Amino acid sequence: MRKVRKIESVLTRISIRKRVAAYARVSSKKDASLHSLSAQVSYYSEMIQSHTGWDYVGAYVDEAITGTENRRTEFQKLLSDSRAGKIDLIITKSISRFARNTLMLLEAVRELKDLGIDVFFEKENIHSMSGDGELMLTILASFAQEESRSASDNVKWRIRKRFAEGELVNLRFMFGYKIEKGTVEINAEEAGIVRLIFSEYVNGLGCTRIAKKLREMRVARPRGGRWDAERVAEILKNEKYTGNSLLQKKFVSDHLTKKLKPNKGELPQYFAEGTHPQIIDGVTYQKAQEIMSKRKERFQGNTKQGRYPFTSMIVCGNCGKKYKRKTSHGRVYWNCSTYLEFGKKACQVKQIPEKILKELAVEVLGATPFDGEYFLNSIKEIRVLEPSKLEFIFMDGHSVIKEWQNKTRSESWNEEDRERARQRGRIQGEGGI
């Protein structure tokens, strides 16, 4: 018979304390929800600190953030600290508090599991490190995700019903107004700026010059930043300044991402009159829209969809912004959008004649005459390295550097220009006799 003798271990087992953290979240800033959140934090803090063998790392708390979104600051901090080896165990109230997106939940739990970190879901009594933990989590998270979708559909239905009844829904901020608890009142100081913008625009001033004027006047821009043409245009296009509202201009298409999508006919829109106090009269607003429409048609020209071959292709080497097309005295130039918007103080660059760009493109591509379609299929980007040095970057990654010299005005004149100059000189000479 084989004899087997058991040898007892002589090593003393060392008691290792677990570093434990709690995660809590509410998706609303209502008093009841915040009270619930405070209660959760107090409960877990007391529970962890009273447990023998546990060290309380802290509570990671996200307020008014949906569980289907991955931008939760404290949740991301929790994962970061876990990767840094600061946590051994995470306790949370339920799967729905941790995440309602099944994929997001499983990705987080699997990463934590690989790090040797257990997640305990108290309501469901599940440990992620247990043998059947992942299977149960997959099933329950799917239910949680479906519950989230159902809740989202109910909210959207209520909002769309209110839109159909002409109610102004979810308007939380708008320059020119003071909005509190659904009540919309005119902010006298900001409303004066709105009226100034409309007045200057209908009297011939463009969005860029209006923005410059507001900066010179040191008008504070809402929510920081500084006034630019885009912000001015947003105000000019907003029908709500007339006291009326076009409802459902955007909608949430996906309950997981919660991103707003422009409504281009997918859902009905509603125009409601008199939803709030008026700042701009209807006649002034309509005149501004007509001017904007005419300017848009004029600047777009006759190219396909208003796009030119060099649109969004030229990158400023000084500030990184794209170049824009400008027409001056019948000649076409491209210049940095920062320079055009804010002047030389913001970006000191040189404008590039479109004629020069086409000539250089022909040299680089080895094809004449200039073919816009061939250019777009071959060139990925043009970088302005120096005032007179351009780098043409091809689709395959290789690049060609070209230098150019800006001709003097007399050198760039054609025979017709010279003849007009001679006529002007003759007239001026006769006037002096």
Side-chain angles (χ1 to χ4, degrees), residues 7-25:
I7 301 173
E8 297 290 344
S9 173
V10 295
L11 294 176
T12 304
R13 293 194 176 186
I14 301 172
S15 177
I16 301 176
R17 297 179 65 84
K18 278 191 176 181
R19 296 161 297 179
V20 185
Y23 177 73
R25 176 188 63 81

Side-chain angles (χ1 to χ4, degrees), residues 323-372:
Y323 270 51
K324 288 184 177 180
R325 191 177 194 263
K326 294 290 289 184
T327 303
S328 177
H329 303 293
R331 289 182 172 81
V332 181
Y333 300 91
W334 289 80
N335 212 334
C336 173
S337 55
T338 301
Y339 172 85
L340 294 173
E341 186 74 39
F342 304 111
K344 290 183 180 179
K345 291 183 179 179
C347 187
Q348 296 182 352
V349 293
K350 198 176 192 178
Q351 64 184 12
I352 308 171
E354 186 172 81
K355 183 181 178 183
I356 294 290
L357 283 169
K358 288 183 177 180
E359 289 174 357
L360 295 178
V362 165
E363 291 179 20
V364 167
L365 295 172
T368 185
F370 176 78
D371 186 327

Side-chain angles (χ1 to χ4, degrees), residues 241-252:
Y241 288 112
T242 64
N244 307 317
S245 300
L246 180 61
L247 306 174
Q248 201 153 252
K249 287 189 277 189
K250 296 181 180 181
F251 68 99
V252 175

Side-chain angles (χ1 to χ4, degrees), residues 17 24 38 46-47 55 66 108 117 131 153 160 183 196 236 260 346 357 375 381 419:
R17 297 179 65 84
S38 177
E46 184 179 342
M47 181 187 80
D55 287 333
T66 173
I117 300 170
D153 286 346
R160 289 168 187 172
T183 302
L196 173 66
L236 289 168
L260 284 173
L357 283 169
F375 169 80
E381 188 177 84
E419 181 58 30

